[in-house]
Amino acid sequence: MDLVTPSIGLIFWQAVTFLIVLFLLAKFAWKPIMKALNDREASIENALSAAEKAKLEMQALKADNEKLLAEARLERDRILKEATEAGNNIVETARQKAEEEGSRMITNAREVIENEKRAAITEVKNMAAVLSLDIAERILKRELSDPKTQEALAQDYVREVTLS
């Protein structure tokens, strides 16, 4: 059982050795170890703050991107609206021009028809006058072939002229 129970001398030397090792560790190793731990803690803290800062920047960038997308959508909608309005204006202008051209063509056609109608009426009147003169000439030749009839007709004219 001697092996299991330590003696006082052994405990003393173990305590002295422990205190020497503790002193040496405190003198030479403790400060670098604590410095390394503090440095690591600081680097972890810096990394966490940098990550938080990056997260905030990402949120700001995301908000900016969403704002830009919203502005781009508004711009797209405005451009589409303007294009639609421009297309409608072009169609409306073309329709108005077509209506004006159609009205002008109808007016011109009516004028041409009216002129042709007047020309035809004038021609018919001229033909009627020529035919009337021809018929009157034939009738007068037939009726005036007799000298008595010529004298009676002349007397009738003289009476009408003096009465008027």
Side-chain angles (χ1 to χ4, degrees):
M1 250 325 184
D2 272 337
L3 289 174
V4 178
T5 57
S7 68
I8 294 274
L10 181 64
I11 292 175
F12 173 75
W13 287 113
Q14 282 182 346
V16 169
T17 306
F18 177 74
L19 288 174
I20 290 172
V21 169
L22 183 64
F23 173 74
L24 289 174
L25 284 175
K27 179 90 175 161
F28 298 109
W30 191 258
K31 286 183 183 175
I33 290 173
M34 289 306 287
K35 183 180 182 294
L37 285 175
N38 286 336
D39 289 346
R40 183 169 182 202
E41 184 180 344
S43 69
I44 290 172
E45 188 69 31
N46 287 339
L48 287 175
S49 66
E52 185 65 29
K53 185 178 177 183
K55 181 180 175 184
L56 292 175
E57 287 178 6
M58 288 299 290
Q59 288 176 346
L61 287 174
K62 185 177 179 183
D64 287 345
N65 285 344
E66 288 177 5
K67 182 180 175 185
L68 287 174
L69 281 173
E71 289 175 1
R73 286 185 186 116
L74 289 173
E75 183 70 14
R76 179 200 64 196
D77 291 344
R78 183 187 63 79
I79 289 171
L80 286 174
K81 183 179 177 184
E82 287 177 2
T84 303
E85 288 175 359
N88 289 342
N89 287 342
I90 289 171
V91 168
E92 184 65 24
T93 303
R95 187 184 60 77
Q96 287 176 352
K97 284 183 180 179
E99 285 178 2
E100 290 172 3
E101 184 68 21
S103 296
R104 187 184 59 78
M105 290 175 73
I106 289 172
T107 304
N108 288 345
R110 285 184 180 156
E111 289 176 4
V112 168
I113 290 171
E114 189 64 31
N115 290 339
E116 291 292 325
K117 180 180 167 185
R118 285 186 197 131
I121 290 174
T122 303
E123 188 176 335
V124 167
K125 284 181 181 178
N126 288 340
M127 287 177 70
V130 168
L131 285 175
S132 295
L133 286 175
D134 191 32
I135 292 171
E137 183 181 343
R138 288 183 184 174
I139 291 174
L140 284 176
K141 279 185 182 179
R142 192 178 60 184
E143 288 194 11
L144 293 179
S145 58
D146 182 23
K148 287 183 185 179
T149 310
Q150 284 179 5
E151 202 173 303
L153 185 63
Q155 299 252 341
D156 284 339
Y157 283 138
V158 171
R159 269 187 261 144
E160 282 181 19
V161 170
T162 51
L163 290 178
S164 301

PDB file of all heavy atoms in Angstrom, residues 95-134:
ATOM      1  N   ARG A  95     -55.772  58.017 -89.622  1.00  0.00           N
ATOM      2  CA  ARG A  95     -57.212  57.890 -89.846  1.00  0.00           C
ATOM      3  C   ARG A  95     -57.805  59.239 -90.252  1.00  0.00           C
ATOM      4  O   ARG A  95     -58.597  59.334 -91.196  1.00  0.00           O
ATOM      5  CB  ARG A  95     -57.900  57.361 -88.589  1.00  0.00           C
ATOM      6  CG  ARG A  95     -59.380  57.045 -88.791  1.00  0.00           C
ATOM      7  CD  ARG A  95     -60.062  56.621 -87.517  1.00  0.00           C
ATOM      8  NE  ARG A  95     -60.019  57.622 -86.483  1.00  0.00           N
ATOM      9  CZ  ARG A  95     -60.780  58.701 -86.429  1.00  0.00           C
ATOM     10  NH1 ARG A  95     -61.639  58.954 -87.386  1.00  0.00           N
ATOM     11  NH2 ARG A  95     -60.671  59.564 -85.433  1.00  0.00           N
ATOM     12  N   GLN A  96     -57.393  60.313 -89.553  1.00  0.00           N
ATOM     13  CA  GLN A  96     -57.897  61.639 -89.893  1.00  0.00           C
ATOM     14  C   GLN A  96     -57.468  62.043 -91.301  1.00  0.00           C
ATOM     15  O   GLN A  96     -58.268  62.583 -92.067  1.00  0.00           O
ATOM     16  CB  GLN A  96     -57.399  62.675 -88.879  1.00  0.00           C
ATOM     17  CG  GLN A  96     -58.071  62.584 -87.531  1.00  0.00           C
ATOM     18  CD  GLN A  96     -57.489  63.570 -86.523  1.00  0.00           C
ATOM     19  OE1 GLN A  96     -56.484  64.215 -86.799  1.00  0.00           O
ATOM     20  NE2 GLN A  96     -58.120  63.680 -85.366  1.00  0.00           N
ATOM     21  N   LYS A  97     -56.204  61.762 -91.627  1.00  0.00           N
ATOM     22  CA  LYS A  97     -55.731  62.088 -92.975  1.00  0.00           C
ATOM     23  C   LYS A  97     -56.498  61.289 -94.012  1.00  0.00           C
ATOM     24  O   LYS A  97     -56.852  61.817 -95.077  1.00  0.00           O
ATOM     25  CB  LYS A  97     -54.231  61.804 -93.099  1.00  0.00           C
ATOM     26  CG  LYS A  97     -53.370  62.834 -92.425  1.00  0.00           C
ATOM     27  CD  LYS A  97     -51.889  62.548 -92.639  1.00  0.00           C
ATOM     28  CE  LYS A  97     -51.035  63.594 -91.940  1.00  0.00           C
ATOM     29  NZ  LYS A  97     -49.602  63.327 -92.101  1.00  0.00           N
ATOM     30  N   ALA A  98     -56.751  60.012 -93.715  1.00  0.00           N
ATOM     31  CA  ALA A  98     -57.506  59.184 -94.653  1.00  0.00           C
ATOM     32  C   ALA A  98     -58.927  59.726 -94.812  1.00  0.00           C
ATOM     33  O   ALA A  98     -59.458  59.776 -95.931  1.00  0.00           O
ATOM     34  CB  ALA A  98     -57.533  57.739 -94.182  1.00  0.00           C
ATOM     35  N   GLU A  99     -59.538  60.134 -93.680  1.00  0.00           N
ATOM     36  CA  GLU A  99     -60.883  60.702 -93.759  1.00  0.00           C
ATOM     37  C   GLU A  99     -60.866  62.006 -94.564  1.00  0.00           C
ATOM     38  O   GLU A  99     -61.745  62.240 -95.394  1.00  0.00           O
ATOM     39  CB  GLU A  99     -61.440  60.965 -92.355  1.00  0.00           C
ATOM     40  CG  GLU A  99     -61.871  59.711 -91.623  1.00  0.00           C
ATOM     41  CD  GLU A  99     -62.384  60.004 -90.215  1.00  0.00           C
ATOM     42  OE1 GLU A  99     -62.435  61.195 -89.825  1.00  0.00           O
ATOM     43  OE2 GLU A  99     -62.719  59.045 -89.521  1.00  0.00           O
ATOM     44  N   GLU A 100     -59.860  62.858 -94.292  1.00  0.00           N
ATOM     45  CA  GLU A 100     -59.764  64.117 -95.035  1.00  0.00           C
ATOM     46  C   GLU A 100     -59.534  63.848 -96.517  1.00  0.00           C
ATOM     47  O   GLU A 100     -60.154  64.489 -97.370  1.00  0.00           O
ATOM     48  CB  GLU A 100     -58.614  64.967 -94.476  1.00  0.00           C
ATOM     49  CG  GLU A 100     -58.889  65.523 -93.099  1.00  0.00           C
ATOM     50  CD  GLU A 100     -57.671  66.194 -92.482  1.00  0.00           C
ATOM     51  OE1 GLU A 100     -56.620  66.266 -93.164  1.00  0.00           O
ATOM     52  OE2 GLU A 100     -57.768  66.641 -91.335  1.00  0.00           O
ATOM     53  N   GLU A 101     -58.639  62.905 -96.817  1.00  0.00           N
ATOM     54  CA  GLU A 101     -58.362  62.566 -98.216  1.00  0.00           C
ATOM     55  C   GLU A 101     -59.616  61.992 -98.872  1.00  0.00           C
ATOM     56  O   GLU A 101     -59.938  62.325-100.018  1.00  0.00           O
ATOM     57  CB  GLU A 101     -57.198  61.560 -98.293  1.00  0.00           C
ATOM     58  CG  GLU A 101     -56.773  61.205 -99.689  1.00  0.00           C
ATOM     59  CD  GLU A 101     -56.135  62.360-100.437  1.00  0.00           C
ATOM     60  OE1 GLU A 101     -55.660  63.319 -99.809  1.00  0.00           O
ATOM     61  OE2 GLU A 101     -56.113  62.295-101.680  1.00  0.00           O
ATOM     62  N   GLY A 102     -60.333  61.126 -98.129  1.00  0.00           N
ATOM     63  CA  GLY A 102     -61.570  60.560 -98.667  1.00  0.00           C
ATOM     64  C   GLY A 102     -62.611  61.645 -98.913  1.00  0.00           C
ATOM     65  O   GLY A 102     -63.270  61.657 -99.961  1.00  0.00           O
ATOM     66  N   SER A 103     -62.731  62.571 -97.933  1.00  0.00           N
ATOM     67  CA  SER A 103     -63.684  63.677 -98.105  1.00  0.00           C
ATOM     68  C   SER A 103     -63.284  64.540 -99.294  1.00  0.00           C
ATOM     69  O   SER A 103     -64.143  64.957-100.081  1.00  0.00           O
ATOM     70  CB  SER A 103     -63.720  64.538 -96.841  1.00  0.00           C
ATOM     71  OG  SER A 103     -64.201  63.800 -95.757  1.00  0.00           O
ATOM     72  N   ARG A 104     -61.979  64.812 -99.414  1.00  0.00           N
ATOM     73  CA  ARG A 104     -61.505  65.624-100.534  1.00  0.00           C
ATOM     74  C   ARG A 104     -61.777  64.918-101.858  1.00  0.00           C
ATOM     75  O   ARG A 104     -62.248  65.534-102.824  1.00  0.00           O
ATOM     76  CB  ARG A 104     -60.008  65.888-100.383  1.00  0.00           C
ATOM     77  CG  ARG A 104     -59.458  66.871-101.401  1.00  0.00           C
ATOM     78  CD  ARG A 104     -57.964  67.034-101.289  1.00  0.00           C
ATOM     79  NE  ARG A 104     -57.228  65.804-101.473  1.00  0.00           N
ATOM     80  CZ  ARG A 104     -56.983  65.228-102.651  1.00  0.00           C
ATOM     81  NH1 ARG A 104     -57.432  65.780-103.757  1.00  0.00           N
ATOM     82  NH2 ARG A 104     -56.293  64.101-102.722  1.00  0.00           N
ATOM     83  N   MET A 105     -61.527  63.606-101.888  1.00  0.00           N
ATOM     84  CA  MET A 105     -61.768  62.851-103.122  1.00  0.00           C
ATOM     85  C   MET A 105     -63.261  62.828-103.459  1.00  0.00           C
ATOM     86  O   MET A 105     -63.638  62.964-104.625  1.00  0.00           O
ATOM     87  CB  MET A 105     -61.224  61.423-102.984  1.00  0.00           C
ATOM     88  CG  MET A 105     -59.694  61.354-102.965  1.00  0.00           C
ATOM     89  SD  MET A 105     -59.074  59.701-102.667  1.00  0.00           S
ATOM     90  CE  MET A 105     -59.442  58.929-104.219  1.00  0.00           C
ATOM     91  N   ILE A 106     -64.097  62.671-102.415  1.00  0.00           N
ATOM     92  CA  ILE A 106     -65.544  62.680-102.651  1.00  0.00           C
ATOM     93  C   ILE A 106     -65.980  64.049-103.159  1.00  0.00           C
ATOM     94  O   ILE A 106     -66.774  64.148-104.105  1.00  0.00           O
ATOM     95  CB  ILE A 106     -66.304  62.291-101.356  1.00  0.00           C
ATOM     96  CG1 ILE A 106     -66.095  60.805-101.056  1.00  0.00           C
ATOM     97  CG2 ILE A 106     -67.784  62.610-101.462  1.00  0.00           C
ATOM     98  CD1 ILE A 106     -66.621  60.359 -99.713  1.00  0.00           C
ATOM     99  N   THR A 107     -65.446  65.106-102.540  1.00  0.00           N
ATOM    100  CA  THR A 107     -65.784  66.464-102.981  1.00  0.00           C
ATOM    101  C   THR A 107     -65.342  66.677-104.425  1.00  0.00           C
ATOM    102  O   THR A 107     -66.101  67.219-105.251  1.00  0.00           O
ATOM    103  CB  THR A 107     -65.119  67.501-102.059  1.00  0.00           C
ATOM    104  OG1 THR A 107     -65.517  67.254-100.713  1.00  0.00           O
ATOM    105  CG2 THR A 107     -65.493  68.909-102.451  1.00  0.00           C
ATOM    106  N   ASN A 108     -64.108  66.258-104.725  1.00  0.00           N
ATOM    107  CA  ASN A 108     -63.611  66.383-106.100  1.00  0.00           C
ATOM    108  C   ASN A 108     -64.470  65.581-107.069  1.00  0.00           C
ATOM    109  O   ASN A 108     -64.784  66.051-108.171  1.00  0.00           O
ATOM    110  CB  ASN A 108     -62.150  65.921-106.195  1.00  0.00           C
ATOM    111  CG  ASN A 108     -61.201  66.904-105.553  1.00  0.00           C
ATOM    112  OD1 ASN A 108     -61.561  68.042-105.276  1.00  0.00           O
ATOM    113  ND2 ASN A 108     -59.988  66.466-105.287  1.00  0.00           N
ATOM    114  N   ALA A 109     -64.833  64.368-106.656  1.00  0.00           N
ATOM    115  CA  ALA A 109     -65.665  63.532-107.521  1.00  0.00           C
ATOM    116  C   ALA A 109     -67.027  64.190-107.743  1.00  0.00           C
ATOM    117  O   ALA A 109     -67.549  64.189-108.866  1.00  0.00           O
ATOM    118  CB  ALA A 109     -65.834  62.134-106.917  1.00  0.00           C
ATOM    119  N   ARG A 110     -67.586  64.767-106.681  1.00  0.00           N
ATOM    120  CA  ARG A 110     -68.876  65.451-106.824  1.00  0.00           C
ATOM    121  C   ARG A 110     -68.735  66.647-107.762  1.00  0.00           C
ATOM    122  O   ARG A 110     -69.621  66.912-108.586  1.00  0.00           O
ATOM    123  CB  ARG A 110     -69.393  65.902-105.459  1.00  0.00           C
ATOM    124  CG  ARG A 110     -69.939  64.759-104.646  1.00  0.00           C
ATOM    125  CD  ARG A 110     -70.537  65.222-103.353  1.00  0.00           C
ATOM    126  NE  ARG A 110     -71.058  64.062-102.615  1.00  0.00           N
ATOM    127  CZ  ARG A 110     -71.233  64.017-101.323  1.00  0.00           C
ATOM    128  NH1 ARG A 110     -70.915  65.071-100.586  1.00  0.00           N
ATOM    129  NH2 ARG A 110     -71.706  62.943-100.735  1.00  0.00           N
ATOM    130  N   GLU A 111     -67.637  67.393-107.609  1.00  0.00           N
ATOM    131  CA  GLU A 111     -67.416  68.531-108.499  1.00  0.00           C
ATOM    132  C   GLU A 111     -67.262  68.070-109.947  1.00  0.00           C
ATOM    133  O   GLU A 111     -67.826  68.686-110.862  1.00  0.00           O
ATOM    134  CB  GLU A 111     -66.169  69.311-108.057  1.00  0.00           C
ATOM    135  CG  GLU A 111     -66.361  70.090-106.774  1.00  0.00           C
ATOM    136  CD  GLU A 111     -65.083  70.771-106.311  1.00  0.00           C
ATOM    137  OE1 GLU A 111     -64.062  70.706-107.032  1.00  0.00           O
ATOM    138  OE2 GLU A 111     -65.111  71.367-105.218  1.00  0.00           O
ATOM    139  N   VAL A 112     -66.504  66.998-110.139  1.00  0.00           N
ATOM    140  CA  VAL A 112     -66.328  66.475-111.504  1.00  0.00           C
ATOM    141  C   VAL A 112     -67.668  66.019-112.056  1.00  0.00           C
ATOM    142  O   VAL A 112     -68.014  66.293-113.218  1.00  0.00           O
ATOM    143  CB  VAL A 112     -65.289  65.319-111.503  1.00  0.00           C
ATOM    144  CG1 VAL A 112     -65.308  64.563-112.819  1.00  0.00           C
ATOM    145  CG2 VAL A 112     -63.897  65.857-111.226  1.00  0.00           C
ATOM    146  N   ILE A 113     -68.443  65.310-111.216  1.00  0.00           N
ATOM    147  CA  ILE A 113     -69.768  64.837-111.657  1.00  0.00           C
ATOM    148  C   ILE A 113     -70.656  66.034-111.989  1.00  0.00           C
ATOM    149  O   ILE A 113     -71.358  66.037-113.013  1.00  0.00           O
ATOM    150  CB  ILE A 113     -70.411  63.943-110.576  1.00  0.00           C
ATOM    151  CG1 ILE A 113     -69.660  62.619-110.476  1.00  0.00           C
ATOM    152  CG2 ILE A 113     -71.884  63.711-110.858  1.00  0.00           C
ATOM    153  CD1 ILE A 113     -70.067  61.760-109.297  1.00  0.00           C
ATOM    154  N   GLU A 114     -70.612  67.060-111.118  1.00  0.00           N
ATOM    155  CA  GLU A 114     -71.438  68.249-111.353  1.00  0.00           C
ATOM    156  C   GLU A 114     -71.009  68.936-112.652  1.00  0.00           C
ATOM    157  O   GLU A 114     -71.856  69.359-113.453  1.00  0.00           O
ATOM    158  CB  GLU A 114     -71.321  69.208-110.153  1.00  0.00           C
ATOM    159  CG  GLU A 114     -72.277  70.370-110.183  1.00  0.00           C
ATOM    160  CD  GLU A 114     -73.737  69.955-110.090  1.00  0.00           C
ATOM    161  OE1 GLU A 114     -74.057  68.932-109.455  1.00  0.00           O
ATOM    162  OE2 GLU A 114     -74.570  70.661-110.693  1.00  0.00           O
ATOM    163  N   ASN A 115     -69.681  69.055-112.852  1.00  0.00           N
ATOM    164  CA  ASN A 115     -69.185  69.676-114.094  1.00  0.00           C
ATOM    165  C   ASN A 115     -69.588  68.848-115.311  1.00  0.00           C
ATOM    166  O   ASN A 115     -70.004  69.422-116.341  1.00  0.00           O
ATOM    167  CB  ASN A 115     -67.663  69.828-114.040  1.00  0.00           C
ATOM    168  CG  ASN A 115     -67.226  70.890-113.047  1.00  0.00           C
ATOM    169  OD1 ASN A 115     -68.014  71.764-112.684  1.00  0.00           O
ATOM    170  ND2 ASN A 115     -65.995  70.805-112.595  1.00  0.00           N
ATOM    171  N   GLU A 116     -69.461  67.536-115.198  1.00  0.00           N
ATOM    172  CA  GLU A 116     -69.856  66.658-116.302  1.00  0.00           C
ATOM    173  C   GLU A 116     -71.356  66.775-116.553  1.00  0.00           C
ATOM    174  O   GLU A 116     -71.811  66.787-117.703  1.00  0.00           O
ATOM    175  CB  GLU A 116     -69.477  65.200-116.007  1.00  0.00           C
ATOM    176  CG  GLU A 116     -67.991  64.917-116.002  1.00  0.00           C
ATOM    177  CD  GLU A 116     -67.363  65.045-117.377  1.00  0.00           C
ATOM    178  OE1 GLU A 116     -68.029  64.709-118.375  1.00  0.00           O
ATOM    179  OE2 GLU A 116     -66.213  65.518-117.442  1.00  0.00           O
ATOM    180  N   LYS A 117     -72.108  66.874-115.463  1.00  0.00           N
ATOM    181  CA  LYS A 117     -73.564  67.009-115.584  1.00  0.00           C
ATOM    182  C   LYS A 117     -73.911  68.321-116.298  1.00  0.00           C
ATOM    183  O   LYS A 117     -74.749  68.342-117.207  1.00  0.00           O
ATOM    184  CB  LYS A 117     -74.189  66.972-114.181  1.00  0.00           C
ATOM    185  CG  LYS A 117     -75.689  67.092-114.149  1.00  0.00           C
ATOM    186  CD  LYS A 117     -76.161  67.032-112.710  1.00  0.00           C
ATOM    187  CE  LYS A 117     -77.596  67.440-112.558  1.00  0.00           C
ATOM    188  NZ  LYS A 117     -78.010  67.492-111.154  1.00  0.00           N
ATOM    189  N   ARG A 118     -73.237  69.402-115.871  1.00  0.00           N
ATOM    190  CA  ARG A 118     -73.499  70.697-116.517  1.00  0.00           C
ATOM    191  C   ARG A 118     -73.110  70.645-117.996  1.00  0.00           C
ATOM    192  O   ARG A 118     -73.821  71.177-118.851  1.00  0.00           O
ATOM    193  CB  ARG A 118     -72.695  71.795-115.819  1.00  0.00           C
ATOM    194  CG  ARG A 118     -73.257  72.204-114.491  1.00  0.00           C
ATOM    195  CD  ARG A 118     -72.513  73.405-113.907  1.00  0.00           C
ATOM    196  NE  ARG A 118     -72.786  73.525-112.494  1.00  0.00           N
ATOM    197  CZ  ARG A 118     -71.873  73.692-111.551  1.00  0.00           C
ATOM    198  NH1 ARG A 118     -70.600  73.791-111.879  1.00  0.00           N
ATOM    199  NH2 ARG A 118     -72.212  73.783-110.296  1.00  0.00           N
ATOM    200  N   ALA A 119     -71.950  70.027-118.243  1.00  0.00           N
ATOM    201  CA  ALA A 119     -71.506  69.920-119.640  1.00  0.00           C
ATOM    202  C   ALA A 119     -72.506  69.104-120.445  1.00  0.00           C
ATOM    203  O   ALA A 119     -72.843  69.454-121.591  1.00  0.00           O
ATOM    204  CB  ALA A 119     -70.115  69.286-119.697  1.00  0.00           C
ATOM    205  N   ALA A 120     -73.001  67.991-119.852  1.00  0.00           N
ATOM    206  CA  ALA A 120     -73.975  67.157-120.557  1.00  0.00           C
ATOM    207  C   ALA A 120     -75.273  67.930-120.790  1.00  0.00           C
ATOM    208  O   ALA A 120     -75.871  67.858-121.871  1.00  0.00           O
ATOM    209  CB  ALA A 120     -74.238  65.878-119.764  1.00  0.00           C
ATOM    210  N   ILE A 121     -75.706  68.661-119.741  1.00  0.00           N
ATOM    211  CA  ILE A 121     -76.946  69.450-119.893  1.00  0.00           C
ATOM    212  C   ILE A 121     -76.751  70.518-120.956  1.00  0.00           C
ATOM    213  O   ILE A 121     -77.633  70.750-121.804  1.00  0.00           O
ATOM    214  CB  ILE A 121     -77.363  70.065-118.537  1.00  0.00           C
ATOM    215  CG1 ILE A 121     -77.850  68.954-117.596  1.00  0.00           C
ATOM    216  CG2 ILE A 121     -78.419  71.130-118.712  1.00  0.00           C
ATOM    217  CD1 ILE A 121     -78.140  69.423-116.183  1.00  0.00           C
ATOM    218  N   THR A 122     -75.586  71.171-120.931  1.00  0.00           N
ATOM    219  CA  THR A 122     -75.299  72.200-121.944  1.00  0.00           C
ATOM    220  C   THR A 122     -75.294  71.578-123.331  1.00  0.00           C
ATOM    221  O   THR A 122     -75.854  72.146-124.286  1.00  0.00           O
ATOM    222  CB  THR A 122     -73.935  72.863-121.641  1.00  0.00           C
ATOM    223  OG1 THR A 122     -73.968  73.398-120.322  1.00  0.00           O
ATOM    224  CG2 THR A 122     -73.634  73.965-122.618  1.00  0.00           C
ATOM    225  N   GLU A 123     -74.679  70.412-123.426  1.00  0.00           N
ATOM    226  CA  GLU A 123     -74.636  69.731-124.729  1.00  0.00           C
ATOM    227  C   GLU A 123     -76.039  69.336-125.176  1.00  0.00           C
ATOM    228  O   GLU A 123     -76.383  69.491-126.353  1.00  0.00           O
ATOM    229  CB  GLU A 123     -73.732  68.501-124.634  1.00  0.00           C
ATOM    230  CG  GLU A 123     -73.473  67.853-125.977  1.00  0.00           C
ATOM    231  CD  GLU A 123     -72.504  66.687-125.869  1.00  0.00           C
ATOM    232  OE1 GLU A 123     -71.700  66.660-124.920  1.00  0.00           O
ATOM    233  OE2 GLU A 123     -72.567  65.815-126.730  1.00  0.00           O
ATOM    234  N   VAL A 124     -76.841  68.826-124.220  1.00  0.00           N
ATOM    235  CA  VAL A 124     -78.221  68.452-124.566  1.00  0.00           C
ATOM    236  C   VAL A 124     -78.997  69.700-124.994  1.00  0.00           C
ATOM    237  O   VAL A 124     -79.759  69.666-125.966  1.00  0.00           O
ATOM    238  CB  VAL A 124     -78.902  67.735-123.377  1.00  0.00           C
ATOM    239  CG1 VAL A 124     -80.402  67.622-123.581  1.00  0.00           C
ATOM    240  CG2 VAL A 124     -78.286  66.362-123.169  1.00  0.00           C
ATOM    241  N   LYS A 125     -78.781  70.804-124.258  1.00  0.00           N
ATOM    242  CA  LYS A 125     -79.476  72.042-124.622  1.00  0.00           C
ATOM    243  C   LYS A 125     -79.038  72.495-126.016  1.00  0.00           C
ATOM    244  O   LYS A 125     -79.874  72.926-126.822  1.00  0.00           O
ATOM    245  CB  LYS A 125     -79.189  73.147-123.604  1.00  0.00           C
ATOM    246  CG  LYS A 125     -79.933  72.997-122.305  1.00  0.00           C
ATOM    247  CD  LYS A 125     -79.608  74.154-121.365  1.00  0.00           C
ATOM    248  CE  LYS A 125     -80.328  74.006-120.047  1.00  0.00           C
ATOM    249  NZ  LYS A 125     -79.973  75.098-119.118  1.00  0.00           N
ATOM    250  N   ASN A 126     -77.724  72.416-126.261  1.00  0.00           N
ATOM    251  CA  ASN A 126     -77.225  72.805-127.583  1.00  0.00           C
ATOM    252  C   ASN A 126     -77.812  71.908-128.670  1.00  0.00           C
ATOM    253  O   ASN A 126     -78.212  72.385-129.744  1.00  0.00           O
ATOM    254  CB  ASN A 126     -75.693  72.759-127.626  1.00  0.00           C
ATOM    255  CG  ASN A 126     -75.068  73.883-126.825  1.00  0.00           C
ATOM    256  OD1 ASN A 126     -75.723  74.893-126.556  1.00  0.00           O
ATOM    257  ND2 ASN A 126     -73.820  73.710-126.446  1.00  0.00           N
ATOM    258  N   MET A 127     -77.837  70.623-128.382  1.00  0.00           N
ATOM    259  CA  MET A 127     -78.410  69.694-129.359  1.00  0.00           C
ATOM    260  C   MET A 127     -79.902  69.975-129.551  1.00  0.00           C
ATOM    261  O   MET A 127     -80.412  69.936-130.684  1.00  0.00           O
ATOM    262  CB  MET A 127     -78.189  68.242-128.918  1.00  0.00           C
ATOM    263  CG  MET A 127     -76.748  67.781-129.056  1.00  0.00           C
ATOM    264  SD  MET A 127     -76.507  66.116-128.450  1.00  0.00           S
ATOM    265  CE  MET A 127     -77.364  65.169-129.665  1.00  0.00           C
ATOM    266  N   ALA A 128     -80.591  70.267-128.414  1.00  0.00           N
ATOM    267  CA  ALA A 128     -82.016  70.576-128.509  1.00  0.00           C
ATOM    268  C   ALA A 128     -82.221  71.865-129.316  1.00  0.00           C
ATOM    269  O   ALA A 128     -83.144  71.958-130.140  1.00  0.00           O
ATOM    270  CB  ALA A 128     -82.624  70.706-127.117  1.00  0.00           C
ATOM    271  N   ALA A 129     -81.335  72.835-129.082  1.00  0.00           N
ATOM    272  CA  ALA A 129     -81.447  74.092-129.826  1.00  0.00           C
ATOM    273  C   ALA A 129     -81.183  73.851-131.304  1.00  0.00           C
ATOM    274  O   ALA A 129     -81.911  74.374-132.168  1.00  0.00           O
ATOM    275  CB  ALA A 129     -80.455  75.108-129.266  1.00  0.00           C
ATOM    276  N   VAL A 130     -80.147  73.039-131.588  1.00  0.00           N
ATOM    277  CA  VAL A 130     -79.847  72.748-132.988  1.00  0.00           C
ATOM    278  C   VAL A 130     -81.013  72.008-133.623  1.00  0.00           C
ATOM    279  O   VAL A 130     -81.432  72.312-134.749  1.00  0.00           O
ATOM    280  CB  VAL A 130     -78.524  71.957-133.094  1.00  0.00           C
ATOM    281  CG1 VAL A 130     -78.337  71.391-134.488  1.00  0.00           C
ATOM    282  CG2 VAL A 130     -77.347  72.840-132.710  1.00  0.00           C
ATOM    283  N   LEU A 131     -81.537  70.998-132.885  1.00  0.00           N
ATOM    284  CA  LEU A 131     -82.677  70.243-133.418  1.00  0.00           C
ATOM    285  C   LEU A 131     -83.904  71.151-133.572  1.00  0.00           C
ATOM    286  O   LEU A 131     -84.632  71.047-134.559  1.00  0.00           O
ATOM    287  CB  LEU A 131     -83.008  69.055-132.506  1.00  0.00           C
ATOM    288  CG  LEU A 131     -82.052  67.871-132.579  1.00  0.00           C
ATOM    289  CD1 LEU A 131     -82.428  66.834-131.537  1.00  0.00           C
ATOM    290  CD2 LEU A 131     -82.091  67.238-133.967  1.00  0.00           C
ATOM    291  N   SER A 132     -84.113  72.028-132.596  1.00  0.00           N
ATOM    292  CA  SER A 132     -85.260  72.940-132.673  1.00  0.00           C
ATOM    293  C   SER A 132     -85.114  73.868-133.874  1.00  0.00           C
ATOM    294  O   SER A 132     -86.082  74.121-134.602  1.00  0.00           O
ATOM    295  CB  SER A 132     -85.370  73.781-131.403  1.00  0.00           C
ATOM    296  OG  SER A 132     -85.642  72.972-130.302  1.00  0.00           O
ATOM    297  N   LEU A 133     -83.904  74.370-134.057  1.00  0.00           N
ATOM    298  CA  LEU A 133     -83.672  75.237-135.204  1.00  0.00           C
ATOM    299  C   LEU A 133     -83.854  74.461-136.506  1.00  0.00           C
ATOM    300  O   LEU A 133     -84.431  74.987-137.478  1.00  0.00           O
ATOM    301  CB  LEU A 133     -82.265  75.841-135.151  1.00  0.00           C
ATOM    302  CG  LEU A 133     -82.054  76.956-134.128  1.00  0.00           C
ATOM    303  CD1 LEU A 133     -80.585  77.375-134.111  1.00  0.00           C
ATOM    304  CD2 LEU A 133     -82.919  78.149-134.471  1.00  0.00           C
ATOM    305  N   ASP A 134     -83.355  73.239-136.511  1.00  0.00           N
ATOM    306  CA  ASP A 134     -83.502  72.412-137.720  1.00  0.00           C
ATOM    307  C   ASP A 134     -84.976  72.140-138.000  1.00  0.00           C
ATOM    308  O   ASP A 134     -85.434  72.261-139.138  1.00  0.00           O
ATOM    309  CB  ASP A 134     -82.718  71.115-137.533  1.00  0.00           C
ATOM    310  CG  ASP A 134     -82.586  70.327-138.813  1.00  0.00           C
ATOM    311  OD1 ASP A 134     -82.530  70.974-139.886  1.00  0.00           O
ATOM    312  OD2 ASP A 134     -82.518  69.091-138.734  1.00  0.00           O
TER     313      ASP A 134
END
